[in-house]
Amino acid sequence: MKALITGCAGFIGSNLTDYLLINDFEVVGIDCFTDYYPRRLKESNLTDALGNQNFTFIEKDLLKINRYPEEVDYVFHLAAQAGVRASWGDNFHIYTKNNIEATQRLLNFYKDIEIQKFVYSSSSSVYGDVNLPMNEESILKPVSPYGVSKLAGEHLSYLYWKNYNVPTVSLRYFSVYGPRQRPDMAINKFSRAIFEGNEINVYGDGKQTRDFTYVDDVVKANISAAESEFTGEIFNIGGGNRINVSELINNLEYITGKKVVVNYIEKQRGDVKNTLADVEKVKNLLKWSPKVEIKDGLTNYIDWLKK
Ligand code: NAD
């Protein structure tokens, strides 16, 4: 089988790339190394893939490609401008371009090509501050410009399915962590601060909770979605590991055996208070459920970081 992975040099995209290559897929990856975080980190994410003869890398901006790869069975669309806090103000155009326009261009191209599945990487940010657990039927009221852009991509995926039969599925990931996690994300920032002997700044009172999801579980959810018979559907992908930020730091202190000073600073606009995924739908239809417990996932992550 052959897969296209957009955003293949990023955190989740590179983990998916490696997994598919190990499992004998042919993979075409597209990434333009946006400057949201250092290029060298993304290049190192691709080290194994670039040594694999089943991998073809296209270093290009999705918005500057006229014809995307045609001979593919699956499209995994992960390329995006991530980050809730950076999405305000003048930066929003980066989000509209990479998250909305790029998604529309891809969908519009694949409406004329026969593929088996188009898996769109959506986000729990589409929910906003709704009642827990967040359910695919919940009313969507994103509270960040990033969330709005991801929701637009999800709607585009749905309407290209509805009108043109593009076989789309959207997966709403909840706070993904694990090896190669983006440097702007909490677990990465906190772990590095602990190792470097720096203090940690926590936005808000530390009581905000997140349903943390290990990256291997997210990779497997993508494959379950691709191989399933379902199209036009949306699924929550949550790890079932809901803890608050202070508990997260305690876990990291325990695993590293180091203590850290924590400063509580002003809450950031766009951050939701709590997240928790209802995963009944994905369990029933895709037969996927999260496997990695937070303590094991954090231990793997810290081991990886040490190396
Ligand atoms: P990432 O920033 O590590 O990876 C995204 C990659 O896409 C980057 O390497 C970037 O260079 C590339 N890219 C962006 N715009 C591009 C364009 N126009 N053309 C070509 N390449 C482009 O982010 P990630 O954390 O791996 O996230 C992957 C996907 O998962 C994104 O769609 C994100 O919105 C979604 N998501 C992530 C999380 C999470 O917790 N990490 C949670 C919910 C949803």
Side-chain angles (χ1 to χ4, degrees):
M1 299 300 267
K2 192 164 176 178
L4 167 65
I5 302 182
T6 71
C8 65
F11 160 42
I12 304 171
S14 65
N15 276 287
L16 178 62
T17 299
D18 285 351
Y19 186 90
L20 290 181
L21 289 170
I22 287 166
N23 286 284
D24 294 329
F25 277 71
E26 264 185 80
V27 177
V28 184
I30 300 179
D31 205 296
C32 64
F33 300 110
T34 58
D35 62 2
Y36 184 55
Y37 62 90
R39 179 185 174 113
R40 70 179 162 76
L41 295 176
K42 297 183 187 180
E43 281 177 342
S44 97
N45 292 344
L46 283 181
T47 310
D48 287 352
L50 288 171
N52 190 311
Q53 58 179 20
N54 285 331
F55 182 63
T56 308
F57 180 51
I58 302 171
E59 183 185 337
K60 256 206 153 128
D61 186 331
L62 287 172
L63 291 163
K64 296 191 177 137
I65 297 176
N66 288 325
R67 294 198 71 76
Y68 300 106
E70 293 178 29
E71 305 293 314
V72 292
D73 302 293
Y74 304 131
V75 176
F76 296 99
H77 177 37
L78 292 99
Q81 176 64 27
V84 167
R85 296 180 198 110
S87 63
W88 296 102
D90 290 346
N91 283 344
F92 189 56
H93 79 277
I94 306 171
Y95 289 75
T96 55
K97 274 171 53 189
N98 294 316
N99 300 1
I100 305 177
E101 272 183 56
T103 302
Q104 187 272 341
R105 278 177 63 103
L106 271 177
L107 289 162
N108 202 55
F109 179 80
Y110 284 104
K111 78 182 192 315
D112 302 320
I113 309 282
E114 204 167 309
I115 53 169
Q116 293 190 28
K117 202 61 62 80
F118 185 110
V119 184
Y120 171 69
S121 288
S122 187
S123 166
S124 60
S125 307
V126 301
Y127 285 110
D129 281 312
V130 293
N131 292 336
L132 301 185
M134 292 160 157
N135 178 280
E136 289 87 348
E137 302 297 317
S138 302
I139 292 176
L140 303 174
K141 288 200 178 290
V143 293
S144 66
Y146 165 74
V148 168
S149 73
K150 294 303 291 183
L151 180 55
E154 207 181 83
H155 284 324
L156 286 162
S157 301
Y158 176 80
L159 65 88
Y160 270 89
W161 169 74
K162 184 86 179 155
N163 292 279
Y164 290 103
N165 288 322
V166 181
T168 62
V169 165
S170 290
L171 304 180
R172 291 178 181 159
Y173 310 153
F174 283 67
S175 304
V176 188
Y177 73 102
R180 306 176 185 165
Q181 193 192 45
R182 296 195 326 261
D184 61 310
M185 296 187 72
I187 293 178
N188 183 323
K189 281 206 293 197
F190 295 168
S191 308
R192 276 184 293 131
I194 290 175
F195 280 121
E196 288 162 11
N198 295 330
E199 300 183 357
I200 288 178
N201 288 334
V202 168
Y203 301 121
D205 60 8
K207 298 207 171 67
Q208 62 273 41
T209 62
R210 291 289 176 272
D211 186 349
F212 289 103
T213 314
Y214 194 66
V215 66
D216 289 2
D217 281 331
V218 174
V219 164
K220 289 188 181 132
N222 271 272
I223 293 155
S224 300
E227 292 178 347
S228 79
E229 66 197 85
F230 297 100
T231 55
E233 295 285 351
I234 295 169
F235 297 100
N236 280 343
I237 304 299
N241 292 297
R242 180 179 171 226
I243 55 173
N244 71 35
V245 174
S246 299
E247 289 166 331
L248 171 67
I249 294 169
N250 291 342
N251 272 303
L252 290 172
E253 286 184 325
Y254 179 77
I255 293 165
T256 57
K258 293 178 192 288
K259 280 271 166 214
V260 68
V261 176
V262 182
N263 307 309
Y264 293 93
I265 62 173
E266 204 186 340
K267 178 182 179 299
Q268 299 287 293
R269 283 191 186 81
D271 278 350
V272 294
K273 178 78 185 147
N274 300 302
T275 68
L276 177 65
D278 177 341
V279 288
E280 280 312 301
K281 181 177 174 188
V282 66
K283 276 186 184 164
N284 289 335
L285 299 191
L286 297 189
K287 311 291 175 218
W288 175 92
S289 56
K291 296 282 180 283
V292 182
E293 297 286 334
I294 186 86
K295 288 199 172 64
D296 297 331
L298 288 177
T299 305
N300 291 347
Y301 177 68
I302 293 296
D303 286 348
W304 174 82
L305 204 60
K306 280 188 192 155
K307 282 188 210 133

